[in-house]
Each structure stands twice: as structure tokens, then as C-alpha cells.
Amino acid sequence: MNAQAAAAAVHKDDSQLRQKRMIADHFTRLAHSPETGQKNVYTFVPGNLTELLLSFDLLPVLPEINALQSGMRGKSKEYIAVAEKLGHSEDVCTYVKCDLGMMKSGNTGPTGEHLPNPDLLLLSYTGCFTFLKWFEILKQEYDCPVAMLHVPYQGDGQITDSMRAYVVGQLREKVIPALEKLSGKSYDEDRLKELLARSARAEDDLVWVLQSAKHRPSPIDAYFGGVYYIGPIFTAFRGTEDAVEYYRELRAEVEERMAAGLCALTPEGDMAGERFRIVVEGPPNWTSFRAFWKMFSDEGAVVVASTYTKVGGVYDSGFRHDPDRPLESLAEYCMGCYTNLNLPSRVDMLTRYMREYSADGLLINSVKSCNSFSAGQLMILREVENRTGKPGGFVESDLVDPRYFSAANIKNRLESYFQMIEQKRQGSAA
Ligand code: SF4
């Protein structure tokens, strides 16, 4: 390892260690909340209101993140089995069953500490009806209030003034009063503005990191690596000083990688060379996450852009949380998350990624659980192929149900797909 690479490795550890500490501290606060009296709010990633919760000193709990962590830790199989024994069908989203099974098995969170029961279920779901059903189930299990924010779908591909006013009205009349009641504190708009200003700073650096993949070779993998980079901003930390620092450090690390001409970082170290630049649509599989990543990196394939890293906010299109328009910008944030976009907008976004990131192809990982992503994916694939002339590939798996990750089958398909790209490339060079 040369001096620059060594320096980059040290910096990498800085941001990773910071994220690890942030997560550990958060779950410790949650575990001790019955003694400290700090209240929590269970809520979801797309369309989350983290800054608003933090302005009331409330602790967010994100069941999807707990489910994906259970998948990565090899616990989801047993949790899903618990939920299916209780009668939940094989067709139900596996995040829901994993969460339910975890709850029925003692509600131990990703760091091994106990998760408190919800003090409030804040249903601010975006683009997916399953979220509503998920909290209906939790409501039956826990005796706690529910607050709902209904976020209109971008059916016509835009956010209108009346849509914005509708969401802001609900924030003022439903959500904020529920948070005031739970916390015993009054809404403090100045505090919310401070948090939103910090969010925007962190969002600037996150966008810089994601867009570094336009460089050749890409210093990052924007899908497998990207899921770590979006962690703090998509979860409980947007608006915190820790998140600002995390993204500042991360950006500095990626700047060093780029200056040193390094290829994307993988769990095995720096990729030896970059052969294929791929855009990926759809969430990853979490139960075989490392194995799935290795199928790409072994072939010299780097993901230069992905839609999954926009599920908790599409910041690279220019959106920032805005302290001068606090509730309006929270409303726009909720309506702008990826799965709240209609299919033509998704096609436009993917076509733009293919061009801006000089990609060789679009690969779809279609997960069985999630209609929010999977509906329309074959149409998306064909349309992007037509517009860009680049080959599309299609693999199928699931989020956290290991029964739907067939390693041999997926590896086979990926190898064929990369061969097809290579042949097309040779054909056009001839
Ligand atoms: S179906 Fe998809 S968007 Fe809906 S809860 Fe499950 S994973 Fe989330």
C-alpha cells in the first residue's frame, strides 16, 4: 500500500468508526429510555421527519433498518418463520415479517440491546401502502397512539402547490400536536431551522460523494458501498452535528481516493481494475449482501449510480432541506423520495444516470417483497435500453428472505450479462 492509499485507509476508518459510534450511541439511548424517560417514535425511512422529531428530543426508531440489519446478521430467516407461523402469508413484504418476528422474539435491536416499545407510531409513509398495514399490525401489539401523515403520490410527475399545502396542513394540525403531546414540549421552529440547516450541509457532501462516481475510475461503489454512505442521512441522524461531521470526513476520504486514482473500495480492498460501469435499479439483497457485491467486484464491475440510494431522498436532483421554509421543505422532501415518483420520472432519472455516469448498462435487481420498486421494472428496463442503446440485465432476489437468493443462478446471469456488455463493446469497436 502506498502512502496515499494508507492515508485513505486511515480516513476510511475515521468515517466508518464515527458511523459505528453514532449507531451504538443511538441504540444505547433507546435501550435506556425507560429509565431516562426519553420518548421514541417508530417511523419509516421514505418520507421521514427526522429533524422534526429531533426538535422535540424524540428518538426515531426505523423498523426497515432493523429488518435489513437482521438480514445482514443472519437473523431474518428465523424471524420470518415466526411471522409465517402466526399466519402472515409468504407474499407479505419480508421487512414486515422480519420486524414482527423480531418483536415476538424479544425485540432485540441490531446492536444486541433491547428496543423499547413505541411511544408513538408516526406513519409518514411514502409511495407504499404496505407501510399502513405494517403499523396496523404494530398498533394491535402495542397500546400506543398513531399519527398519520398522508403523502400524495407524484402521479403527474410534479409537486403542485396544493399538494404541498395539503402536507404542510397535516404537519401543523396533526403531526406537530401529536409530537407536542408526546414530548410535553412546544413546537420550536427556530430549533427546527437549525437542524434543517445542518441537514443541507450534510446533503451537499453526500451528493458530492455519490457524484464522485462520474470520475473514471469511480472511487466508490454507489450501490453496495452507497448503502453505507446513505446510512446517517436516511435514518436517525439527519440534522445532527455528527451527520455533518460524518459526511465531511467521508468526502475528504473519497477526494483522497480519487486523487490517488483508486478504483472503488470493496470488502476485499480496492478493486483491481474497472471493467464495467453499471447503473442498478432496485434494493439490494441483505442476506447475501457480501456475496452479491463480490459477484460484481470479481468481474471488475462497479455500480456508478443506483436508485436505491435515493429511496430516503433524491438529493442529487438539487433538493435540499431549507431552513427558510421549514415545513414546506419537509413536505417537498416527503413527496420527492424515489418510490413516490411515477414511472416516467423513474425512466428519466435512470436514462440521465446512464449518460451522466458513462454507464455500460442498466441492471435491475427485482426484489420479490417490494411492489413499490418492482412494479413496472420490465417496462423501465426496455425504455432505458431503447433510449440509451445500452444493454439491460435482470436478476431476482429478495430483501431479507434467504429463500429467494439463489446464488448460483444470480452469478450465472450476472456473468452472462457482463459478457454481453463486452461483446457489444467489441462489436461497436469493430
Ligand atoms: S413493500 Fe417495499 S416499500 Fe413497502 S414496506 Fe416493503 S420494502 Fe418498504
Side-chain angles (χ1 to χ4, degrees):
M1 191 185 280
N2 63 29
Q4 275 174 315
V10 170
H11 281 291
K12 168 176 75 73
D13 284 343
D14 284 349
S15 75
Q16 280 189 344
L17 287 173
R18 181 183 292 276
Q19 184 170 163
K20 214 172 157 191
R21 179 185 54 70
M22 287 159 69
I23 292 168
D25 289 352
H26 180 67
F27 280 99
T28 299
R29 271 200 296 277
L30 282 167
H32 292 287
S33 61
E35 300 106 66
T36 61
Q38 196 167 5
K39 304 284 188 202
N40 73 71
V41 176
Y42 281 35
T43 193
F44 292 114
V45 171
N48 71 71
L49 300 169
T50 300
E51 297 90 345
L52 190 59
L53 300 184
L54 297 183
S55 77
F56 286 97
D57 292 316
L58 296 165
L59 292 170
V61 176
L62 297 142
E64 300 136 290
I65 303 296
N66 297 336
L68 78 83
Q69 292 278 358
S70 297
M72 285 181 118
R73 291 185 305 134
K75 305 286 283 179
S76 55
K77 186 177 173 193
E78 104 194 33
Y79 292 156
I80 289 168
V82 169
E84 287 184 356
K85 264 198 201 124
L86 289 168
H88 293 276
S89 143
E90 209 177 308
D91 293 334
V92 171
C93 168
T94 51
Y95 271 179
V96 181
K97 287 189 288 187
C98 186
D99 182 46
L100 191 63
M102 184 181 93
M103 182 186 74
K104 292 288 183 188
S105 310
N107 221 18
T108 302
T111 56
E113 291 184 277
H114 183 70
L115 282 173
N117 291 352
D119 294 310
L120 174 73
L121 298 171
L122 174 58
L123 182 54
S124 60
Y125 73 101
T126 294
C128 174
F129 191 64
T130 302
F131 289 126
L132 187 69
K133 294 290 164 198
W134 192 338
F135 271 7
E136 271 178 24
I137 296 168
L138 293 195
K139 170 77 182 142
Q140 286 164 13
E141 299 289 333
Y142 299 110
D143 183 23
C144 70
V146 181
M148 178 164 167
L149 178 72
H150 175 243
V151 177
Y153 186 63
Q154 280 201 46
D156 295 328
Q158 58 176 331
I159 297 171
T160 63
D161 289 346
S162 63
M163 285 159 73
R164 190 182 303 103
Y166 173 60
V167 177
V168 169
Q170 292 176 78
L171 289 171
R172 282 195 202 287
E173 287 153 32
K174 304 274 184 214
V175 176
I176 289 175
L179 300 179
E180 286 182 325
K181 188 169 176 201
L182 176 65
S183 64
K185 296 178 180 172
S186 299
Y187 171 55
D188 180 346
E189 193 152 279
D190 288 338
R191 187 149 182 229
L192 178 61
K193 286 179 175 182
E194 284 168 21
L195 286 151
L196 293 170
R198 285 199 285 270
S199 297
R201 293 209 327 261
E203 288 155 7
D204 280 344
D205 284 336
L206 170 67
V207 169
W208 190 93
V209 167
L210 293 177
Q211 292 188 337
S212 71
K214 291 180 184 176
H215 188 263
R216 239 181 229 271
S218 172
I220 62 158
D221 184 289
Y223 182 55
F224 297 104
V227 302
Y228 294 99
Y229 306 149
I230 56 175
I233 261 181
F234 279 19
T235 61
F237 307 104
R238 212 177 54 226
T240 66
E241 201 54 54
D242 255 342
V244 172
E245 282 302 303
Y246 169 79
Y247 286 102
R248 195 185 54 74
E249 282 172 2
L250 179 65
R251 176 174 173 160
E253 292 162 13
V254 176
E255 278 171 349
E256 289 201 33
R257 295 186 62 75
M258 204 194 263
L262 298 175
C263 291
L265 190 65
T266 75
E268 279 82 37
D270 301 324
M271 230 170 61
E274 181 181 287
R275 292 178 61 216
F276 305 108
R277 295 169 65 82
I278 306 296
V279 171
V280 171
E281 146 71 18
N285 163 273
W286 300 109
T287 51
S288 298
F289 184 80
R290 287 278 177 102
F292 194 22
W293 189 349
K294 199 167 180 324
M295 290 177 199
F296 284 71
S297 57
D298 281 354
E299 297 286 332
V302 62
V303 181
V304 287
S306 65
T307 52
Y308 182 69
T309 51
K310 316 294 155 27
V311 76
V314 183
Y315 299 108
D316 60 339
S317 64
F319 171 81
R320 295 289 181 276
H321 285 89
D322 181 357
D324 294 330
R325 302 163 57 249
L327 297 184
E328 289 77 5
S329 89
L330 280 174
E332 286 163 9
Y333 161 74
C334 292
M335 290 185 282
C337 289
Y338 179 70
T339 51
N340 205 47
L341 305 183
N342 66 6
L343 295 184
S345 304
R346 296 185 201 193
V347 169
D348 288 346
M349 181 193 272
L350 283 161
T351 304
R352 181 166 55 82
Y353 284 169
M354 291 288 294
R355 295 199 171 118
E356 290 181 357
Y357 290 79
S358 312
D360 299 305
L362 168 67
L363 181 89
I364 292 186
N365 179 38
S366 186
V367 298
K368 178 192 166 291
S369 278
C370 183
N371 287 335
S372 228
F373 265 100
S374 306
Q377 277 179 330
L378 284 172
M379 182 282 287
I380 289 176
L381 189 69
R382 271 198 300 274
E383 192 59 30
V384 176
E385 275 182 328
N386 285 343
R387 290 194 197 179
T388 63
K390 303 281 182 179
F394 196 85
V395 294
E396 290 170 282
S397 66
D398 187 50
L399 297 164
V400 290
D401 191 337
R403 292 172 295 185
Y404 295 95
F405 189 87
S406 166
N409 188 290
I410 291 174
K411 191 169 185 338
N412 209 355
R413 282 209 197 184
L414 285 176
E415 284 172 1
S416 306
Y417 178 56
F418 296 136
Q419 272 172 19
M420 181 167 72
I421 293 176
E422 190 60 59
Q423 279 164 4
K424 258 205 135 183
R425 206 184 259 165
Q426 285 171 6
S428 50

